[in-house]
Amino acid sequence: MRIKSGYLMKEIAKNHVVVPTGKAALDFSGMMTLNETGAFLWRQLEAGTTESELVASLLKDYDTNETTARADISEFLTKLKTADLFE
């Protein structure tokens, strides 16, 4: 999985904001804010990480269990798919 080109995550005043650039700005109106975990997952997805790799990364870097990690990642990916942010 990979984030579509034309979307950048920026940190503004300690908030993580996803903004469209170029042609993507014509298709996506608005912006998306991410919490710390969402920003962590976004960075992983920019590198083309699989869902299993996301789970492993989250378990390594955060104090959570596999069931919670999988549920949270699934919810996050669903939101990104709904917003059509995957290539």
Side-chain angles (χ1 to χ4, degrees):
M1 291 180 273
R2 184 178 296 276
I3 299 295
K4 280 186 176 180
S5 62
Y7 294 93
L8 299 174
M9 180 181 62
K10 297 287 186 182
E11 188 172 340
I12 302 170
K14 297 187 180 183
N15 293 305
H16 300 284
V17 180
V18 174
V19 293
T21 62
K23 184 178 182 286
L26 300 173
D27 300 328
F28 187 87
S29 59
M31 71 173 101
M32 178 184 291
T33 58
L34 302 174
N35 63 17
E36 180 183 330
T37 307
F40 173 83
L41 295 173
W42 181 275
R43 286 186 204 100
Q44 303 289 315
L45 290 168
E46 286 179 321
T49 307
T50 66
E51 191 167 347
S52 295
E53 291 169 329
L54 288 175
V55 172
S57 293
L58 201 64
L59 290 173
K60 179 182 171 214
D61 290 6
Y62 286 85
D63 183 24
T64 189
N65 62 57
E66 187 171 349
T67 302
T68 302
R70 286 190 183 281
D72 290 350
I73 289 168
S74 178
E75 180 181 348
F76 183 71
L77 294 176
T78 297
K79 288 178 181 180
L80 294 181
K81 288 175 188 172
T82 300
D84 194 30
L85 296 177
F86 283 124
E87 284 187 314

Coordinates of all heavy atoms in Angstrom, one line a residue:
M1 N 0.8 -1.2 0.0 CA 0.0 0.0 0.0 C 0.9 1.2 0.0 O 1.9 1.2 0.6 CB -0.9 0.0 1.2 CG -1.9 -1.0 1.2 SD -2.9 -1.0 2.7 CE -1.9 -2.0 3.8
R2 N 0.4 2.2 -0.7 CA 1.2 3.5 -0.8 C 0.3 4.6 -0.9 O -0.8 4.6 -1.6 CB 2.1 3.4 -2.0 CG 3.1 4.6 -2.1 CD 4.0 4.6 -3.2 NE 5.0 3.5 -3.1 CZ 6.1 3.5 -2.5 NH1 6.4 4.6 -1.8 NH2 6.9 2.5 -2.5
I3 N 0.6 5.7 -0.2 CA -0.1 7.0 -0.3 C 0.0 7.5 -1.7 O 1.1 7.5 -2.3 CB 0.4 8.0 0.7 CG1 0.2 7.5 2.1 CG2 -0.3 9.4 0.5 CD1 -1.2 7.3 2.6
K4 N -1.1 8.0 -2.3 CA -1.0 8.6 -3.6 C -0.1 9.8 -3.7 O 0.0 10.5 -2.7 CB -2.4 9.1 -4.1 CG -3.4 8.1 -4.6 CD -4.6 8.8 -5.1 CE -5.6 7.8 -5.7 NZ -6.8 8.5 -6.1
S5 N 0.6 10.0 -4.8 CA 1.4 11.2 -4.9 C 0.5 12.4 -4.9 O -0.6 12.3 -5.3 CB 2.3 11.1 -6.2 OG 1.4 11.1 -7.3
G6 N 1.1 13.5 -4.5 CA 0.3 14.7 -4.4 C -0.3 15.0 -3.1 O -1.0 16.0 -2.9
Y7 N 0.0 14.2 -2.1 CA -0.4 14.4 -0.7 C 0.8 14.4 0.2 O 1.6 13.5 0.2 CB -1.4 13.3 -0.3 CG -2.7 13.4 -1.0 CD1 -2.8 12.6 -2.2 CD2 -3.7 14.2 -0.7 CE1 -4.0 12.6 -2.9 CE2 -4.9 14.2 -1.4 CZ -5.0 13.5 -2.5 OH -6.2 13.5 -3.3
L8 N 0.9 15.5 1.0 CA 2.0 15.7 1.9 C 1.5 15.8 3.3 O 0.5 16.4 3.6 CB 2.8 16.9 1.5 CG 3.4 17.0 0.1 CD1 4.0 18.3 -0.1 CD2 4.4 15.9 0.0
M9 N 2.3 15.3 4.2 CA 2.0 15.5 5.6 C 3.0 16.5 6.2 O 4.2 16.3 6.0 CB 2.1 14.2 6.4 CG 1.8 14.3 7.9 SD 1.9 12.8 8.9 CE 3.6 12.4 8.7
K10 N 2.5 17.5 6.8 CA 3.3 18.5 7.4 C 2.9 18.7 8.9 O 1.8 18.4 9.3 CB 3.0 19.9 6.7 CG 3.4 19.9 5.3 CD 4.9 19.9 5.1 CE 5.2 20.1 3.6 NZ 6.7 20.1 3.4
E11 N 3.9 19.1 9.6 CA 3.7 19.3 11.1 C 3.6 20.8 11.2 O 4.5 21.6 10.9 CB 4.8 18.8 11.9 CG 4.4 18.9 13.4 CD 5.4 18.2 14.3 OE1 6.2 17.4 13.9 OE2 5.5 18.6 15.5
I12 N 2.4 21.3 11.7 CA 2.1 22.7 11.8 C 1.6 22.9 13.3 O 0.6 22.4 13.6 CB 1.1 23.2 10.8 CG1 1.5 22.9 9.4 CG2 0.7 24.7 11.0 CD1 0.5 23.1 8.3
A13 N 2.4 23.7 14.0 CA 2.0 24.0 15.4 C 1.7 22.7 16.2 O 0.7 22.6 16.9 CB 0.8 24.9 15.5
K14 N 2.6 21.7 16.0 CA 2.5 20.4 16.7 C 1.3 19.6 16.3 O 1.0 18.6 17.0 CB 2.6 20.6 18.2 CG 3.9 21.2 18.7 CD 3.9 21.2 20.2 CE 5.3 21.8 20.6 NZ 5.4 21.8 22.1
N15 N 0.7 19.9 15.2 CA -0.3 19.1 14.6 C 0.1 18.6 13.2 O 0.8 19.2 12.5 CB -1.6 20.0 14.4 CG -2.2 20.5 15.6 OD1 -2.5 19.7 16.5 ND2 -2.3 21.8 15.8
H16 N -0.3 17.3 13.0 CA 0.1 16.7 11.7 C -1.1 16.9 10.7 O -2.2 16.5 11.0 CB 0.4 15.2 11.9 CG 1.5 14.9 12.8 ND1 2.8 15.1 12.5 CD2 1.5 14.5 14.1 CE1 3.6 14.8 13.5 NE2 2.8 14.5 14.5
V17 N -0.8 17.5 9.6 CA -1.8 17.9 8.7 C -1.5 17.3 7.3 O -0.3 17.5 6.8 CB -2.0 19.4 8.6 CG1 -3.0 19.8 7.6 CG2 -2.3 20.0 9.9
V18 N -2.4 16.7 6.6 CA -2.2 16.2 5.3 C -2.9 17.2 4.3 O -4.1 17.5 4.5 CB -2.9 14.8 5.1 CG1 -2.8 14.3 3.7 CG2 -2.2 13.8 6.0
V19 N -2.1 17.6 3.4 CA -2.6 18.6 2.4 C -2.4 18.1 1.0 O -1.4 17.5 0.7 CB -2.0 20.0 2.6 CG1 -2.4 20.6 3.9 CG2 -0.5 19.9 2.5
P20 N -3.3 18.4 0.1 CA -3.1 18.0 -1.3 C -2.2 19.1 -2.0 O -2.2 20.2 -1.6 CB -4.5 18.0 -1.9 CG -5.2 19.0 -1.1 CD -4.6 18.9 0.3
T21 N -1.4 18.6 -3.0 CA -0.6 19.5 -3.8 C -0.9 19.2 -5.2 O -1.3 18.2 -5.6 CB 0.9 19.4 -3.5 OG1 1.3 18.1 -3.8 CG2 1.2 19.7 -2.0
G22 N -0.6 20.2 -6.1 CA -0.7 20.0 -7.5 C -2.1 19.6 -7.9 O -3.1 20.1 -7.5
K23 N -2.1 18.6 -8.8 CA -3.4 18.1 -9.4 C -4.3 17.5 -8.3 O -5.5 17.6 -8.3 CB -3.1 17.0 -10.4 CG -4.4 16.5 -11.1 CD -4.1 15.5 -12.2 CE -5.3 15.0 -12.9 NZ -6.2 14.1 -12.1
A24 N -3.7 16.9 -7.2 CA -4.4 16.4 -6.1 C -5.3 17.4 -5.5 O -6.4 17.1 -4.9 CB -3.5 15.7 -5.1
A25 N -4.8 18.7 -5.5 CA -5.6 19.8 -4.8 C -6.9 20.0 -5.6 O -7.9 20.5 -5.0 CB -4.8 21.0 -4.8
L26 N -7.0 19.6 -6.8 CA -8.2 19.8 -7.6 C -9.2 18.7 -7.2 O -10.5 19.0 -7.3 CB -7.9 19.7 -9.1 CG -7.0 20.8 -9.7 CD1 -6.7 20.5 -11.1 CD2 -7.5 22.2 -9.5
D27 N -8.8 17.6 -6.8 CA -9.6 16.4 -6.5 C -10.0 16.3 -5.1 O -11.0 15.7 -4.7 CB -9.0 15.1 -7.0 CG -8.7 15.1 -8.4 OD1 -9.4 15.7 -9.2 OD2 -7.6 14.5 -8.8
F28 N -9.2 16.9 -4.2 CA -9.4 16.8 -2.7 C -9.6 18.2 -2.1 O -8.7 19.0 -2.1 CB -8.2 16.1 -2.1 CG -8.4 15.7 -0.7 CD1 -9.0 14.5 -0.3 CD2 -7.9 16.6 0.3 CE1 -9.1 14.2 1.0 CE2 -8.0 16.2 1.7 CZ -8.6 15.0 2.0
S29 N -10.8 18.4 -1.6 CA -11.0 19.8 -1.0 C -10.9 19.6 0.5 O -11.6 18.8 1.1 CB -12.3 20.3 -1.5 OG -13.4 19.5 -1.1
G30 N -10.1 20.4 1.1 CA -9.9 20.4 2.5 C -8.6 19.8 2.9 O -7.7 19.8 2.1
M31 N -8.5 19.4 4.2 CA -7.3 18.8 4.7 C -7.7 17.8 5.8 O -8.8 17.7 6.2 CB -6.3 19.9 5.3 CG -6.8 20.5 6.5 SD -5.5 21.6 7.2 CE -6.2 23.2 6.7
M32 N -6.7 17.0 6.1 CA -6.9 15.9 7.1 C -5.9 16.1 8.2 O -4.7 16.4 7.9 CB -6.7 14.6 6.4 CG -6.8 13.4 7.3 SD -6.5 11.8 6.4 CE -7.8 11.7 5.3
T33 N -6.3 16.0 9.4 CA -5.4 16.1 10.6 C -5.2 14.7 11.1 O -6.1 13.9 11.1 CB -5.9 17.0 11.7 OG1 -7.2 16.6 12.1 CG2 -6.0 18.5 11.2
L34 N -4.0 14.4 11.6 CA -3.7 13.1 12.1 C -3.1 13.3 13.5 O -2.4 14.2 13.8 CB -2.6 12.5 11.2 CG -2.9 12.3 9.7 CD1 -1.7 11.7 9.0 CD2 -4.1 11.3 9.6
N35 N -3.4 12.3 14.3 CA -2.8 12.2 15.7 C -1.4 11.6 15.5 O -1.0 11.3 14.4 CB -3.7 11.5 16.7 CG -3.9 10.0 16.3 OD1 -3.2 9.5 15.5 ND2 -4.9 9.4 16.9
E36 N -0.7 11.5 16.6 CA 0.7 11.0 16.5 C 0.7 9.6 15.9 O 1.6 9.3 15.1 CB 1.2 10.9 18.0 CG 2.7 10.4 18.0 CD 3.2 10.2 19.4 OE1 2.8 11.0 20.3 OE2 4.0 9.3 19.6
T37 N -0.2 8.7 16.3 CA -0.2 7.4 15.7 C -0.6 7.4 14.2 O 0.0 6.7 13.4 CB -1.2 6.5 16.5 OG1 -0.9 6.5 17.8 CG2 -1.1 5.0 16.0
G38 N -1.5 8.2 13.8 CA -1.9 8.4 12.4 C -0.7 8.9 11.6 O -0.5 8.4 10.5
A39 N 0.1 9.8 12.2 CA 1.3 10.3 11.5 C 2.3 9.2 11.3 O 3.0 9.1 10.3 CB 1.8 11.5 12.2
F40 N 2.5 8.4 12.4 CA 3.4 7.3 12.3 C 3.0 6.3 11.2 O 3.8 5.9 10.4 CB 3.4 6.6 13.7 CG 4.2 5.3 13.7 CD1 5.5 5.3 13.9 CD2 3.5 4.1 13.6 CE1 6.3 4.2 13.9 CE2 4.3 2.9 13.6 CZ 5.6 2.9 13.8
L41 N 1.7 6.0 11.1 CA 1.2 5.1 10.1 C 1.4 5.7 8.7 O 1.7 5.0 7.7 CB -0.2 4.7 10.4 CG -0.4 3.8 11.6 CD1 -1.9 3.6 11.9 CD2 0.3 2.5 11.5
W42 N 1.1 7.0 8.6 CA 1.2 7.7 7.3 C 2.6 7.6 6.8 O 2.8 7.3 5.6 CB 0.8 9.2 7.5 CG 0.9 10.0 6.2 CD1 1.9 10.6 5.7 CD2 -0.2 10.2 5.3 NE1 1.6 11.2 4.5 CE2 0.3 11.0 4.2 CE3 -1.6 9.8 5.3 CZ2 -0.5 11.4 3.2 CZ3 -2.3 10.3 4.2 CH2 -1.8 11.0 3.2
R43 N 3.6 7.8 7.6 CA 5.0 7.7 7.2 C 5.3 6.3 6.7 O 6.1 6.2 5.7 CB 5.9 8.1 8.4 CG 6.0 9.6 8.7 CD 7.0 9.9 9.7 NE 6.7 11.1 10.4 CZ 6.1 11.3 11.5 NH1 5.8 10.2 12.2 NH2 5.8 12.4 12.0
Q44 N 4.8 5.3 7.4 CA 5.0 3.9 6.9 C 4.4 3.7 5.6 O 5.0 3.1 4.7 CB 4.4 3.0 8.0 CG 4.9 3.1 9.4 CD 6.3 2.6 9.5 OE1 6.7 1.6 9.0 NE2 7.1 3.4 10.2
L45 N 3.2 4.2 5.4 CA 2.5 4.1 4.1 C 3.2 4.8 2.9 O 3.1 4.4 1.8 CB 1.1 4.5 4.2 CG 0.2 3.5 5.1 CD1 -1.1 4.2 5.4 CD2 0.0 2.2 4.4
E46 N 3.8 5.9 3.2 CA 4.6 6.6 2.2 C 5.7 5.8 1.6 O 6.1 5.9 0.5 CB 5.2 7.9 2.8 CG 4.2 9.0 3.0 CD 4.8 10.3 3.6 OE1 5.7 10.1 4.5 OE2 4.4 11.4 3.2
A47 N 6.2 4.8 2.5 CA 7.3 3.9 2.0 C 6.7 2.7 1.4 O 7.5 1.8 1.0 CB 8.2 3.6 3.2
G48 N 5.4 2.5 1.3 CA 4.8 1.3 0.6 C 4.8 0.1 1.5 O 4.9 -1.0 1.1
T49 N 4.4 0.3 2.8 CA 4.4 -0.7 3.8 C 3.1 -1.6 3.6 O 2.0 -1.0 3.3 CB 4.4 -0.1 5.2 OG1 5.6 0.7 5.3 CG2 4.5 -1.1 6.3
T50 N 3.2 -2.8 3.9 CA 2.0 -3.7 3.9 C 1.3 -3.6 5.2 O 1.8 -3.1 6.2 CB 2.4 -5.2 3.7 OG1 3.1 -5.6 4.8 CG2 3.2 -5.4 2.4
E51 N 0.0 -4.1 5.2 CA -0.7 -4.0 6.5 C -0.1 -4.8 7.6 O 0.0 -4.4 8.7 CB -2.2 -4.5 6.2 CG -3.1 -4.3 7.4 CD -4.6 -4.5 7.1 OE1 -4.9 -4.6 5.9 OE2 -5.3 -4.5 8.0
S52 N 0.5 -6.0 7.3 CA 1.2 -6.8 8.3 C 2.4 -6.0 8.8 O 2.7 -6.1 10.0 CB 1.7 -8.1 7.6 OG 0.6 -8.9 7.3
E53 N 3.1 -5.3 7.9 CA 4.3 -4.6 8.4 C 3.9 -3.4 9.2 O 4.6 -3.0 10.2 CB 5.1 -4.0 7.2 CG 5.8 -5.2 6.4 CD 6.4 -4.7 5.1 OE1 5.8 -3.8 4.4 OE2 7.4 -5.3 4.7
L54 N 2.7 -2.8 8.9 CA 2.2 -1.7 9.8 C 1.9 -2.3 11.2 O 2.3 -1.6 12.2 CB 0.9 -1.2 9.2 CG 0.9 -0.3 8.0 CD1 -0.5 0.0 7.5 CD2 1.7 0.9 8.2
V55 N 1.3 -3.4 11.3 CA 1.0 -4.0 12.6 C 2.3 -4.3 13.4 O 2.5 -3.9 14.5 CB 0.2 -5.3 12.5 CG1 0.1 -6.1 13.8 CG2 -1.1 -5.1 11.9
A56 N 3.3 -4.9 12.7 CA 4.6 -5.1 13.3 C 5.3 -3.9 13.8 O 5.8 -3.8 14.9 CB 5.5 -5.9 12.4
S57 N 5.2 -2.8 13.0 CA 5.8 -1.5 13.4 C 5.1 -0.9 14.6 O 5.8 -0.4 15.5 CB 5.8 -0.5 12.2 OG 6.6 -1.0 11.2
L58 N 3.8 -1.0 14.6 CA 3.0 -0.4 15.7 C 3.3 -1.1 17.0 O 3.5 -0.5 18.0 CB 1.5 -0.4 15.3 CG 0.7 0.5 16.1 CD1 1.0 2.0 15.7 CD2 -0.8 0.3 15.7
L59 N 3.4 -2.5 16.9 CA 3.7 -3.3 18.1 C 5.1 -3.0 18.6 O 5.3 -3.0 19.8 CB 3.5 -4.7 17.8 CG 2.1 -5.2 17.5 CD1 2.1 -6.7 17.1 CD2 1.2 -5.0 18.8
K60 N 6.0 -2.7 17.7 CA 7.4 -2.5 18.1 C 7.5 -1.1 18.8 O 8.2 -0.9 19.8 CB 8.3 -2.5 16.9 CG 9.7 -2.2 17.2 CD 10.5 -2.3 15.9 CE 11.9 -1.8 16.2 NZ 12.5 -1.0 15.1
D61 N 6.8 -0.1 18.3 CA 7.0 1.3 18.7 C 6.0 1.8 19.7 O 6.2 2.9 20.3 CB 7.1 2.2 17.5 CG 8.3 2.1 16.7 OD1 9.1 1.1 17.0 OD2 8.5 2.8 15.8
Y62 N 4.9 1.1 19.9 CA 3.9 1.6 20.8 C 3.5 0.5 21.8 O 3.6 -0.7 21.5 CB 2.6 2.0 20.0 CG 2.8 3.3 19.2 CD1 3.4 3.3 18.0 CD2 2.3 4.5 19.8 CE1 3.5 4.5 17.3 CE2 2.5 5.7 19.1 CZ 3.1 5.7 17.9 OH 3.3 6.9 17.2
D63 N 3.0 0.9 22.9 CA 2.6 0.0 24.0 C 1.1 -0.4 23.7 O 0.2 0.2 24.2 CB 2.7 0.6 25.3 CG 2.4 -0.3 26.5 OD1 2.4 -1.5 26.3 OD2 2.0 0.2 27.6
T64 N 0.9 -1.4 22.9 CA -0.4 -1.9 22.5 C -0.3 -3.4 22.3 O 0.8 -4.0 22.2 CB -0.9 -1.2 21.3 OG1 -2.3 -1.5 21.1 CG2 -0.1 -1.5 20.0
N65 N -1.5 -4.0 22.1 CA -1.5 -5.5 21.8 C -1.9 -5.6 20.4 O -2.4 -4.7 19.7 CB -2.4 -6.2 22.8 CG -3.9 -5.7 22.7 OD1 -4.5 -5.8 21.6 ND2 -4.4 -5.3 23.8
E66 N -1.7 -6.8 19.9 CA -2.0 -7.1 18.4 C -3.4 -6.9 18.0 O -3.7 -6.3 17.0 CB -1.5 -8.5 18.1 CG -1.6 -8.8 16.6 CD -1.0 -10.1 16.1 OE1 -0.3 -10.7 16.9 OE2 -1.2 -10.4 15.0
T67 N -4.4 -7.3 18.9 CA -5.8 -7.1 18.5 C -6.1 -5.6 18.4 O -6.8 -5.2 17.4 CB -6.7 -7.8 19.6 OG1 -6.3 -9.1 19.7 CG2 -8.1 -7.6 19.3
T68 N -5.7 -4.8 19.3 CA -6.0 -3.4 19.3 C -5.2 -2.8 18.1 O -5.8 -1.9 17.3 CB -5.5 -2.7 20.6 OG1 -6.2 -3.3 21.7 CG2 -5.8 -1.2 20.5
A69 N -4.0 -3.1 17.8 CA -3.2 -2.6 16.7 C -3.9 -2.9 15.4 O -4.1 -2.0 14.5 CB -1.8 -3.2 16.7
R70 N -4.3 -4.1 15.2 CA -5.0 -4.5 13.9 C -6.3 -3.7 13.8 O -6.6 -3.3 12.7 CB -5.3 -6.0 13.9 CG -4.1 -6.8 13.7 CD -4.4 -8.3 13.4 NE -3.1 -9.0 13.2 CZ -2.4 -9.1 12.1 NH1 -2.8 -8.3 11.1 NH2 -1.3 -9.8 12.0
A71 N -7.1 -3.6 14.8 CA -8.4 -2.9 14.7 C -8.1 -1.4 14.4 O -8.8 -0.8 13.5 CB -9.1 -3.0 16.1
D72 N -7.2 -0.8 15.1 CA -6.9 0.6 14.8 C -6.3 0.9 13.4 O -6.7 1.8 12.7 CB -5.9 1.2 15.9 CG -6.5 1.3 17.2 OD1 -7.7 1.1 17.4 OD2 -5.7 1.5 18.2
I73 N -5.5 0.0 13.0 CA -4.9 0.1 11.6 C -6.0 -0.1 10.6 O -6.1 0.6 9.6 CB -3.8 -0.9 11.4 CG1 -2.6 -0.4 12.2 CG2 -3.4 -1.1 9.9 CD1 -1.4 -1.4 12.3
S74 N -6.9 -1.1 10.8 CA -8.0 -1.3 9.9 C -8.9 -0.1 9.8 O -9.3 0.3 8.7 CB -8.8 -2.5 10.3 OG -9.9 -2.7 9.5
E75 N -9.2 0.6 10.9 CA -10.0 1.8 10.9 C -9.3 2.9 10.1 O -9.9 3.6 9.3 CB -10.3 2.2 12.3 CG -11.2 3.4 12.4 CD -11.4 3.8 13.9 OE1 -11.2 3.1 14.8 OE2 -12.0 5.0 14.0
F76 N -8.0 3.1 10.4 CA -7.3 4.1 9.7 C -7.2 3.9 8.2 O -7.5 4.8 7.4 CB -5.8 4.1 10.3 CG -5.0 5.2 9.8 CD1 -5.2 6.6 10.1 CD2 -3.9 4.9 8.9 CE1 -4.4 7.6 9.6 CE2 -3.1 5.9 8.4 CZ -3.3 7.2 8.7
L77 N -6.9 2.7 7.8 CA -6.9 2.4 6.4 C -8.2 2.6 5.7 O -8.3 3.0 4.6 CB -6.4 0.9 6.1 CG -4.9 0.7 6.6 CD1 -4.6 -0.8 6.4 CD2 -4.0 1.6 5.8
T78 N -9.3 2.2 6.4 CA -10.6 2.4 5.8 C -10.9 3.9 5.6 O -11.4 4.3 4.5 CB -11.7 1.9 6.8 OG1 -11.5 0.4 6.9 CG2 -13.1 2.1 6.3
K79 N -10.5 4.7 6.5 CA -10.7 6.2 6.3 C -9.9 6.7 5.1 O -10.3 7.5 4.4 CB -10.3 6.9 7.6 CG -11.3 6.8 8.7 CD -10.9 7.5 10.0 CE -11.9 7.2 11.1 NZ -11.5 7.9 12.3
L80 N -8.6 6.2 5.0 CA -7.8 6.6 3.9 C -8.4 6.1 2.5 O -8.4 6.9 1.5 CB -6.4 6.1 4.0 CG -5.6 6.7 5.2 CD1 -4.1 6.1 5.2 CD2 -5.5 8.2 5.1
K81 N -8.9 4.9 2.5 CA -9.5 4.4 1.3 C -10.8 5.2 0.9 O -11.0 5.5 -0.2 CB -9.9 2.9 1.5 CG -8.7 2.0 1.5 CD -9.1 0.6 1.8 CE -7.8 -0.3 2.0 NZ -8.1 -1.6 2.5
T82 N -11.6 5.5 1.9 CA -12.8 6.3 1.7 C -12.4 7.7 1.1 O -13.1 8.2 0.2 CB -13.5 6.5 3.0 OG1 -13.9 5.2 3.5 CG2 -14.8 7.3 2.8
A83 N -11.3 8.2 1.5 CA -10.8 9.5 1.0 C -10.1 9.4 -0.3 O -9.6 10.3 -0.9 CB -10.0 10.2 2.1
D84 N -9.9 8.1 -0.8 CA -9.2 7.8 -2.0 C -7.7 8.3 -2.0 O -7.3 9.0 -2.9 CB -9.9 8.4 -3.2 CG -9.4 7.8 -4.5 OD1 -9.0 6.7 -4.5 OD2 -9.5 8.5 -5.5
L85 N -7.0 8.0 -0.9 CA -5.6 8.4 -0.8 C -4.6 7.3 -1.1 O -3.4 7.6 -0.8 CB -5.4 9.0 0.7 CG -6.3 10.2 1.0 CD1 -6.0 10.7 2.4 CD2 -5.9 11.4 0.0
F86 N -5.0 6.2 -1.6 CA -4.1 5.1 -1.9 C -3.9 5.1 -3.4 O -4.8 5.4 -4.2 CB -4.6 3.8 -1.5 CG -4.5 3.5 0.0 CD1 -5.6 3.1 0.7 CD2 -3.3 3.5 0.6 CE1 -5.5 2.8 2.0 CE2 -3.1 3.2 1.9 CZ -4.2 2.9 2.6
E87 N -2.7 4.7 -3.8 CA -2.4 4.4 -5.3 C -2.7 3.0 -5.5 O -2.6 2.1 -4.7 CB -0.9 4.6 -5.6 CG -0.6 6.1 -5.7 CD 0.9 6.3 -6.2 OE1 1.8 5.6 -5.6 OE2 1.0 7.1 -7.0

